[in-house]
Structures are given as C-alpha cells and as structure tokens.
Amino acid sequence: MFDIDKIRKDFPILNRTVNGKPLIYFDNAATSQTPQQVIDVIVEYYSNYNANIHRGVHTLSQEATDKYESARHTIQQHFNANKAHEIIFTSGTTHGINLVANGFEALLQQDDELIVSALEHHSNIVPWQMLCERTGASLKVIPMTEEGELQMDVFDALLSDKTKLVFVNHVSNALGTVNPIKTIIDKAHAFGAAVLIDGAQASPHIKVDVQELDVDFYVVSAHKMCGPTGVGALYGKETWLNKLPPYQGGGEMIAEVSFEKTTYADLPHKFEAGTPNICGGIAFAAALDYMNDIGYHAIASYEAELLDYATEKLAAIEGLRIYGTSKQKTAVISFNIGNIHPYDIGTIIDKLGIAVRTGHHCAQPIMEYYKIPGTVRVSFAFYNTQNEIDSFVEAVKRAAIMLA
Ligand SMILES: *Cc1c(COP(=O)(O)O)cnc(C)c1O
C-alpha cells in the first residue's frame, strides 16, 4: 500500500547532497518538494503546447485552454466544490486572502466587526488590518492557550450581530495545531457572519470537503502540496463570489469595455484578470492527482507515526521545549533548547545537510505569546522517514552540546 521507497524515488531532489551529506528536507511547511510526475507536466507544457488561453482560435491555445479548465475541474473535485466556477485560480494563499479582503470593502460599515485568531500567519492578519483601516471596521482576536489551541469560550463571547467575517487557519503553520473549523463555521453562521479558512497548511495533510464544512471561502497554495510556486486556488461559494466586486481590472475579466461603461465577465473570469500562471495551474492539478493516488488516509497515518516518533525523541533531549502540544496536530514540531538561539541550531544542522526553518514563521503574535524570538521548526511530509528523524535528532544533540 504505502511504499516509502517507491515514493522517495518520485522526488529527484531527495537524491542530492548538501554540504557533502544526503539532503534531509524537514521544511515542508514552508514549501513541499515536487515529484517527477509534476515536473514532467511542466516540461510537457513548455515543450508542446505553451500558448495563451481563452483567446486564440489556434490549436495550441485551445489545447492549453482545455488543460487549464480541466485543471480547474480537478481542483473542484478535490475540494468537492459544487461548481467549477467556484474555484478561482490565484497566485497562492496570500493572493486569495487579499482578493476576499479587498472585496469586502464594499460590504462593510464602520461598526462592523471581524474576528481573527491569535494563531494566524501574517498573510491572514495584515490584509484584514488594511481593510479595517479603510472601512473603520474593527478586528477582534480569539486568544490562544499555552498548548497552542484557540480559546473557544472567548470566541463565543466575541461573536455578535456586528460580526461580519471570521478568518482562521485550518492548521497553524508555526505549531501544527488543527483548529476546530467546523465548529467555528457553524457558530459564525449562527450570527450571519461569513467564514474564510486559510487552508495553506491543512491541504497537504487533510482531505478537505468545502460543502461538508459549509465554508464560505477556503484558500490554498499549490507549492505546499507538491505543486509549483506562484499558483493556488480560492474556493468561494457562488453567492459570495457574486456579491464581491472584482479585485483587479484588466484583460480576461470583462464582458464588454467602453470608456462610458465596462461590464464584468461571469465567474470565475471576473476574478482572473490578466494572463494567469497557466502551466502552474495545470501542474497544480497534476500534484493533486499525485497525492490522491497515494491517498490522504495513507499520508495522514504515515505522517502521524513520524510526528509521534520525532516528538518522543526530541522531548528526551535535555532542556528542549516543544511549543504547540495540542492533541490535534499535523506533523509540525516547533522547539527551542534552553536559551540557544534557534538560528544557531539551524545553521549548524544545515552543515549536516538538514533543512529546517528557524525564526518567527510569519506568526509573530504566537512568538510574542511565548515571549520568544522564534523557534526551530521541523515539518514532515509523507516522503520523510524515521531514519532521517534519527539523523536529525543526533544532529540536534550535537548542536546543543556545541552551543551550550
Ligand atoms: C504558507 C502559508 C501562508 C502563505 O502562503 P503563500 O503561498 O506564501 O501565499 C498562509 N497561511 C499559512 C497557514 C501558511 O502556512
């Protein structure tokens, strides 16, 4: 069923060395690696049918258009959206959030309230702060606990008829916490508020069904789920997407243009101004096919084993503290050892070929909560192994001795 040796052969980058050592790639929460099956699709695009879409009558343009629209269907099916035009191609999660935040400007008034969580990536904080500055709406924060979970009783207290929109991540990129988004969505809906879920960190590990969740907006990046950078998707309920004005003006997003009046194209094109990342969109669909072939159940149970194994090994290191101990976690471990700066650990283990993230992980409010400048973060994917974790733990022990 889950053949790790076969899977690793799909990823050419896993064969390389770094500083003379075999690469151990534990920075999957920042970006995932790309299997040969997806690389082949990218090469095929530029070798065979590179052309602009939706415009040309010529064969190449039609082939590219067909593949791009077929990619939209693959994404629709993957997330179980009701309609293909509820999938908007974006350049990634950040773009998707900005698109929605920008659109809500037309729908908000001075007294309106928006609710965010303390566990967010900066890209799910800053666009909303900018929106609040422009509209006079105010931003309320669901605080976190020591374990890195949301204080749901405070969320209940923050909700009111003034609440227009709630936005939280499905999974925290800094701590790995899986948030109770179904509960959040249902509670927000009871007050008539819309909900946007930042799914950048969940989508590589959890199979998402947007209709079952009844979520209004769900945003993802292809590059965190075995696809290329610079492409992603925004799922939006048709009713909401119709309510929002376009984000950017340009080619492709119009029905008719004159200097007196321009009318906008229907969904999804209304939100897709300009030439998109055509190859990226097609490769994104190939990445979803690849992950679905392996299967999300197999991926999740394998990654849970890696998480448990690594957590136990790391916790045994003297002076090591793990941040984020929620019972519901994906395969992310954030930690520090005593007062050693995370950057120093990261630099030493890079010399041993091991890639981890150090710093605030674009989530400074979390670091502020723990009163730390940052953490060392390891994040696993389904192509990592227990052997790699063993080498990593040895490397961390060595670094700790050197830096003590
Ligand atoms: C990576 C990430 C983002 C930003 O994604 P981009 O691809 O850089 O736009 C946002 N939120 C979370 C939780 C992330 O992990």
Side-chain angles (χ1 to χ4, degrees):
M1 240 189 65
F2 189 82
D3 184 346
I4 183 66
D5 295 329
K6 184 167 166 288
I7 285 169
R8 284 181 67 83
K9 287 203 184 82
D10 290 336
F11 292 82
I13 208 168
L14 298 179
N15 288 323
R16 70 162 282 182
T17 55
V18 169
N19 295 317
K21 309 276 182 195
L23 167 68
I24 295 179
Y25 187 77
F26 282 173
D27 194 18
N28 295 285
T31 202
S32 55
Q33 294 304 341
T34 318
Q36 191 62 50
Q37 289 85 337
V38 173
I39 298 171
D40 287 346
V41 166
I42 295 169
V43 172
E44 158 83 1
Y45 173 83
Y46 283 109
S47 310
N48 272 323
Y49 61 98
N50 178 29
N52 212 331
I53 51 169
H54 298 141
R55 290 165 207 187
V57 293
H58 62 80
T59 303
L60 260 55
S61 173
Q62 282 174 10
E63 282 181 20
T65 304
D66 288 350
K67 293 259 195 201
Y68 193 65
E69 289 308 319
S70 147
R72 194 190 305 275
H73 276 99
T74 302
I75 298 166
Q76 175 204 352
Q77 278 162 10
H78 179 84
F79 292 103
N80 194 31
N82 189 20
K83 297 178 174 141
H85 63 241
E86 292 178 317
I87 301 296
I88 310 296
F89 277 112
T90 64
S91 69
T93 300
T94 304
H95 177 195
I97 294 170
N98 276 279
L99 189 161
V100 175
N102 191 79
F104 263 85
E105 181 168 353
L107 308 179
L108 288 184
Q109 287 166 358
Q110 271 237 313
D111 288 342
D112 289 340
E113 294 179 357
L114 312 180
I115 299 180
V116 66
S117 98
L119 289 176
E120 301 308 304
H121 189 286
H122 295 162
S123 69
N124 203 22
I125 301 173
V126 183
W128 305 110
Q129 288 174 322
M130 291 162 67
L131 174 65
C132 287
E133 271 173 30
R134 295 197 300 270
T135 58
S138 56
L139 194 59
K140 310 279 169 189
V141 184
I142 314 168
M144 58 182 277
T145 66
E146 191 71 19
E147 291 77 30
E149 295 179 347
L150 294 178
Q151 294 189 25
M152 291 297 283
D153 52 333
V154 181
F155 176 54
D156 287 336
L158 289 176
L159 278 167
S160 78
D161 293 334
K162 289 183 176 176
T163 312
K164 288 295 171 301
L165 195 61
V166 176
F167 26 93
V168 295
N169 55 31
H170 193 166
V171 170
S172 156
N173 68 302
L175 304 179
T177 312
V178 181
N179 288 315
I181 60 164
K182 181 62 185 150
T183 308
I184 290 171
I185 291 164
D186 291 345
K187 287 185 173 198
H189 283 173
F191 286 88
V195 179
L196 176 141
I197 299 294
D198 169 353
Q201 207 57 238
S203 49
H205 310 288
I206 299 169
K207 185 85 185 216
V208 171
D209 182 330
V210 292
Q211 291 190 77
E212 191 183 301
L213 286 172
D214 195 24
V215 67
D216 302 293
F217 303 98
Y218 197 94
V219 288
V220 297
S221 295
H223 73 94
K224 297 207 173 160
M225 41 196 321
C226 296
T229 57
V231 65
L234 157 69
Y235 159 78
K237 271 186 198 160
E238 184 180 39
T239 44
W240 274 112
L241 291 177
N242 278 330
K243 263 184 245 178
L244 298 187
Y247 178 39
Q248 292 178 317
E252 199 72 22
M253 54 74 74
I254 49 85
E256 256 179 274
V257 175
S258 77
F259 283 108
E260 288 69 44
K261 185 174 168 53
T262 288
T263 51
Y264 305 128
D266 291 334
L267 295 173
H269 306 293
K270 174 176 136 186
F271 292 110
E272 295 182 348
T275 303
N277 184 348
I278 303 165
C279 175
I282 296 167
F284 183 11
L288 294 178
D289 286 342
Y290 177 82
M291 293 194 62
N292 284 312
D293 278 351
I294 297 174
Y296 270 73
H297 277 298
I299 288 173
S301 59
Y302 180 75
E303 289 177 346
E305 275 173 35
L306 293 181
L307 176 66
D308 288 348
Y309 185 74
T311 303
E312 201 182 308
K313 290 246 162 179
L314 282 174
I317 297 176
E318 204 181 302
L320 188 144
R321 168 165 180 199
I322 292 174
Y323 298 91
T325 50
S326 168
K327 277 179 278 307
Q328 297 290 321
K329 271 183 75 170
T330 58
V332 170
I333 306 173
S334 252
F335 69 89
N336 278 325
I337 305 176
N339 289 325
I340 302 173
H341 200 282
Y343 178 83
D344 294 334
I345 295 176
T347 306
I348 288 181
I349 69 175
D350 176 61
K351 296 271 183 293
L352 302 168
I354 303 170
V356 299
R357 192 69 149 202
T358 65
H360 55 61
H361 319 299
C362 299
Q364 281 180 351
I366 298 179
M367 303 304 135
E368 204 159 287
Y369 175 89
Y370 290 118
K371 305 217 170 2
I372 50 176
T375 67
V376 180
R377 181 190 69 184
V378 290
S379 50
F380 306 124
F382 55 88
Y383 42 75
N384 291 129
T385 65
Q386 290 198 352
N387 278 343
E388 289 181 314
I389 292 171
D390 289 338
S391 304
F392 159 73
V393 170
E394 284 315 307
V396 169
K397 284 184 188 161
R398 256 173 85 177
I401 290 166
M402 284 171 69
L403 295 165

